[in-house]
Amino acid sequence: MRRDVVVGRFHQEPMVIDAVHAVRSCGLRIADVYSPYPIHRLDEAMAIARSRLPLVALAGGVGGLIAALALELYTSVIDWPLNVGGKPDASLLAFIPIAFELTILGAGLATAAGLLIRSRLAPFGAAPVVDRSATDDTFAVVVHCRDSAIDRRLVEQLLLNYGAMSVESRGLPR
Amino acid sequence: MIAWSAPAADRHAEPPSRRRTRWIDGDPTLRDITDDVMRPLTSRPGAAWWAAFAVAASALAIGAASVTYEVTTGIGTWGLNKTVGWAFDITNFVFWVGIGHAGTLISAILLLLRQQWRTAISRSAEAMTIFAVMCAAMFPLIHMGRPWLAFWVLPYPNSRGPLWVNFRSPLLWDVFAINTYLTISLVFWYVGMIPDFATLRDRAQSPLRRFAYSMLSLGWDGSARTWSRYETASTLLAGLATPLVISVHTIVSMDFATSVLPGWHATIFPPYFVAGAVFSGFAMVLTLLIIVRRVMRLERYITLRHLDAMAKIMLLTGSIVGLAYATEFYNAWYGHNVYERAVFLNRVTGPYAWGFWIMVGCNACAPQLLWIRRLRRNVPILFALSIAVNVGMWFERFIIIVTSLHRSFLPSTWTMYRPSMIEVGTLIGSFGLFFTCFLLFVRLLPMIAMWEVKALAGHRDEATR
């Protein structure tokens, strides 16, 4: 079995950040960090790019808005105009509430769908790769390294110096 | 540059002045938090839970019987008449929609405002929103008389022309508002639970539980990249839910405000209804959490400081509601419209004046006690006040709806409205549905957002290191 990552398990958040900084300043690559809750400074430490989900939400919202206005105008003006209390067929002011609701609906559903698709979340998706306790109380830092005993020893020692409770070399997850 | 040595211990110490209020009692470790939140899911329910469940399920049965009788016999089983064509059902509808609003306020608006105290209560408040909206949606459905034709309110190509729905009607706006609200609330609730489902999956003992939680957790593994994206999505959903929740009760208020009836036709209605909704919702959150924190032994996470914070929001929104009552009366006096004046005079001194004074006493006066800090941290007093506000806010809707209808422009149409037993049974049933759902929720799903509380505990470690 190839062993090209080193997994360091931590029990405290600040140590994780320090370890990630140290690993990266040594020129090593972080495969990923698994944690029971989001660590804000990790985005910066791991140089994770800003998500483009806001654009997905915008697209969903615009789609919802266009769909709502198209539905309202087509049914009330083109397909079957009905005189209700003498109000104009194209009562745009009265169409605003439903257009607003469908804008929100489109944006919300697009955001959720975007999150699930981009993060590959699906029913019975991949089982936890590193450690079952990474969803409980453990922070697992996974570092890429060459498949050589010397490199592995160095990375393991680095993680231990930064407070890892245990280290382990194994194959790349997934 | 190679950083071989471990950093100095005090690198992340913050000055004490920057430490925020602590929202968790004691010093639970991350694993303690998982254990505490999971305890109600794995242990056997106690006598208190069974007793509550028996009461809730009985109330639900009364409701089911009442609705069955009403649907099979007709709307004539209700106390409605030619003059008062809207009464109990729409009162209950507005009441329940309002209850839901506190959940969205806690989970979305307080998230955007970075209020840390929301973490321990947001999950149960969101659950409350969903159950309350379900209860609310039931009333227009059964008022249709033929609820199996409810899909006629949706614009779909049909064989009657196609005859489309009337997009200019506030009642149709309601259909879209309520359905969007329910959908977005469900999505927000579920997305918020995915990381917790993963925790449950990884600790599940029985194969059945592991199967269910692996399906629900969608393969969540806690990767930093996913967390980063997840947080963006949460903020976006919160940002979308915030205007949504305001629009929902605004649209509900337009059911009344767009009519020409004195007492309904008021521009103040949207903000007045939104504030009232948040007010009644917080009262219901307090009622539920005061019971749940005791029964489920979660006092460590839902602390007196949480109750205090909720009491302050109740005080604020209750005062806004009181101001709105005063404004309505000022407008009636200043506006020189005799019909408007007559309606408001009738509210204060007419045959339903007792309801009006319950409303003023419970909503505008009673919450003023919450200016006193000692009372905000006194659990029995808070519980009593929360019940009073629930009652008062129900009466507010009843008074607005019935007193405006029962004596309007034509004195020859004046009449009284009294609810029939079937209507009372339906109201009891809606409470039964709500509490049955909530009691099942606290046994089947993690009622505190574990990952959010863990983040709070983790950051605390950092701040005190």
Side-chain angles (χ1 to χ4, degrees):
Chain A
M1 185 180 99
R2 278 176 60 82
R3 288 192 285 180
D4 42 15
V5 291
V6 174
V7 179
R9 294 189 182 79
F10 294 79
H11 276 281
Q12 271 180 322
E13 176 193 322
M15 295 180 180
V16 176
I17 309 267
D18 291 335
V20 166
H21 275 299
V23 165
R24 282 174 53 90
S25 66
C26 293
L28 293 160
R29 249 175 0 103
I30 302 264
D32 214 332
V33 175
Y34 299 89
S35 62
Y37 59 83
I39 305 174
H40 292 134
R41 288 184 300 146
L42 210 52
D43 290 12
E44 206 183 314
M46 288 173 65
I48 297 176
R50 274 178 74 103
S51 164
R52 281 163 297 179
L53 274 179
L55 292 177
V56 176
L58 179 68
V62 171
L65 177 67
I66 292 173
L69 286 176
L71 177 71
E72 290 176 311
L73 290 170
Y74 171 73
T75 56
S76 314
V77 182
I78 298 169
D79 195 45
W80 190 346
L82 269 181
N83 187 337
V84 181
K87 291 169 194 156
D89 292 337
S91 311
L92 274 179
L93 213 55
F95 292 169
I96 289 175
I98 289 177
F100 176 82
E101 298 301 327
L102 291 185
T103 306
I104 299 278
L105 185 67
L109 292 181
T111 306
L115 169 71
L116 299 189
I117 293 168
R118 190 67 185 75
S119 303
R120 295 163 196 256
L121 296 173
F124 303 109
V129 284
V130 179
D131 195 332
R132 284 194 175 277
S133 60
T135 54
D136 184 4
D137 64 346
T138 304
F139 303 84
V141 178
V142 183
V143 184
H144 280 294
C145 72
R146 284 189 293 276
D147 190 14
S148 83
I150 298 169
D151 274 20
R152 277 205 305 274
R153 282 292 305 152
L154 280 174
V155 176
E156 285 176 5
Q157 196 53 51
L158 175 73
L159 291 173
L160 285 172
N161 280 355
Y162 275 84
M165 308 300 284
S166 66
V167 289
E168 182 194 348
S169 298
R170 54 158 82 179
L172 191 67
R174 290 193 192 163
Chain B
M1 154 92 203
I2 296 180
W4 266 127
S5 61
D10 61 350
R11 210 171 101 186
H12 296 286
E14 285 187 55
S17 58
R18 283 190 54 205
R19 277 183 214 158
R20 300 187 188 116
T21 321
R22 295 183 45 185
W23 292 105
I24 308 169
D25 277 343
D27 241 345
T29 62
L30 299 183
R31 174 151 295 172
D32 289 342
I33 294 171
T34 317
D35 290 342
D36 285 343
V37 176
M38 279 185 63
R39 200 189 319 113
L41 307 181
T42 48
S43 62
R44 293 196 152 276
W49 187 88
W50 279 115
F53 190 75
V55 173
S58 311
L60 179 58
I62 293 173
S66 306
V67 171
T68 310
Y69 181 70
E70 181 265 321
V71 170
T72 50
T73 314
I75 291 289
T77 56
W78 289 358
L80 301 176
N81 49 50
K82 266 192 298 186
T83 306
V84 185
W86 258 13
F88 233 61
D89 53 333
I90 190 97
T91 300
N92 298 334
F93 166 75
V94 180
F95 173 76
W96 281 116
V97 180
I99 296 291
H101 279 43
T104 317
L105 187 108
I106 289 171
S107 60
I109 300 183
L110 296 185
L111 175 74
L112 296 180
L113 296 175
R114 300 186 186 280
Q115 293 293 308
Q116 293 183 338
W117 58 273
R118 59 171 281 286
T119 52
I121 58 172
S122 59
R123 176 74 47 74
S124 40
E126 285 166 34
M128 186 193 77
T129 294
I130 288 158
F131 305 144
V133 175
M134 277 164 41
C135 289
M138 183 180 87
F139 285 97
L141 276 183
I142 55 178
H143 197 176
M144 289 175 184
R146 295 187 181 89
W148 52 93
L149 297 179
F151 64 93
W152 282 12
V153 303
L154 301 174
Y156 67 100
N158 53 59
S159 55
R160 301 182 294 278
L163 180 62
W164 298 103
V165 290
N166 179 12
F167 285 102
R168 303 177 200 89
S169 162
L171 297 181
L172 190 72
W173 305 347
D174 255 355
V175 171
F176 280 84
I178 298 294
N179 283 312
T180 302
Y181 188 41
L182 185 60
T183 311
I184 295 291
S185 298
L186 271 172
V187 167
F188 199 22
W189 193 47
Y190 177 67
V191 167
M193 278 193 291
I194 295 174
D196 281 0
F197 283 138
T199 307
L200 295 173
R201 170 199 66 199
D202 293 346
R203 288 189 120 205
Q205 302 292 333
S206 75
L208 180 69
R209 274 174 188 264
R210 195 169 306 131
F211 175 83
Y213 291 132
S214 345
M215 193 166 68
L216 291 167
S217 61
L218 307 181
W220 180 270
D221 57 6
S223 137
R225 292 173 219 285
T226 310
W227 271 125
S228 170
R229 206 173 286 124
Y230 182 84
E231 291 243 285
T232 307
S234 299
T235 312
L236 280 171
L237 285 175
L240 291 167
T242 301
L244 175 65
V245 69
I246 293 170
S247 80
V248 169
H249 229 62
T250 297
I251 290 176
V252 167
S253 81
M254 286 172 179
D255 291 347
F256 307 102
T258 55
S259 75
V260 292
L261 207 62
W264 286 5
H265 188 62
T267 45
I268 195 181
F269 259 38
Y272 165 29
F273 268 50
V274 172
V278 173
F279 181 48
S280 66
F282 265 87
M284 189 59 98
V285 176
L286 266 179
T287 311
L288 287 176
L289 290 185
I290 286 175
I291 298 172
V292 162
R293 71 195 279 271
R294 186 69 180 275
V295 175
M296 299 288 168
R297 284 176 290 147
L298 292 169
E299 286 104 332
R300 195 188 221 182
Y301 303 101
I302 304 169
T303 64
L304 282 180
R305 293 183 295 283
H306 287 90
L307 302 184
D308 179 285
M310 285 189 272
K312 282 179 187 160
I313 294 198
M314 252 172 65
L315 173 60
L316 172 72
T317 47
S319 303
I320 296 177
V321 166
L323 182 66
Y325 295 163
T327 310
E328 278 196 308
F329 276 88
Y330 174 79
N331 282 347
W333 166 74
Y334 192 69
H336 283 280
N337 179 324
V338 285
Y339 300 103
E340 189 89 6
R341 277 191 191 180
V343 160
F344 280 93
L345 203 63
N346 180 46
R347 277 191 191 170
V348 186
T349 58
Y352 291 109
W354 56 277
F356 174 82
W357 291 111
I358 290 179
M359 154 187 137
V360 171
C362 291
N363 297 344
C365 303
Q368 299 304 319
L369 289 173
L370 295 172
W371 285 103
I372 304 164
R373 182 185 155 87
R374 211 154 33 88
L375 297 185
R376 287 201 305 268
R377 299 193 172 210
N378 182 324
V379 177
I381 298 258
L382 270 183
F383 188 72
L385 276 177
S386 72
I387 298 285
V389 171
N390 281 321
V391 171
M393 284 307 293
W394 188 89
F395 270 98
E396 178 195 297
R397 279 65 176 253
F398 182 82
I399 289 297
I400 290 175
I401 291 159
V402 174
T403 61
S404 291
L405 281 173
H406 90 122
R407 289 183 180 176
S408 64
F409 298 108
L410 266 182
S412 60
T413 64
W414 288 10
T415 183
M416 290 293 287
Y417 161 79
R418 267 178 210 87
S420 72
M421 286 312 290
I422 300 299
E423 285 172 287
V424 176
T426 311
L427 173 62
I428 293 172
S430 68
F431 276 95
L433 176 64
F434 180 76
F435 284 105
T436 305
C437 288
F438 197 82
L439 286 165
L440 289 176
F441 157 71
V442 298
R443 306 263 349 148
L444 294 176
L445 298 171
M447 66 158 288
I448 287 183
M450 284 187 264
W451 65 269
E452 288 195 271
V453 174
K454 282 177 185 172
L456 212 57
H459 298 322
R460 179 206 58 207
D461 280 354
E462 190 182 353
T464 54
R465 205 176 106 173

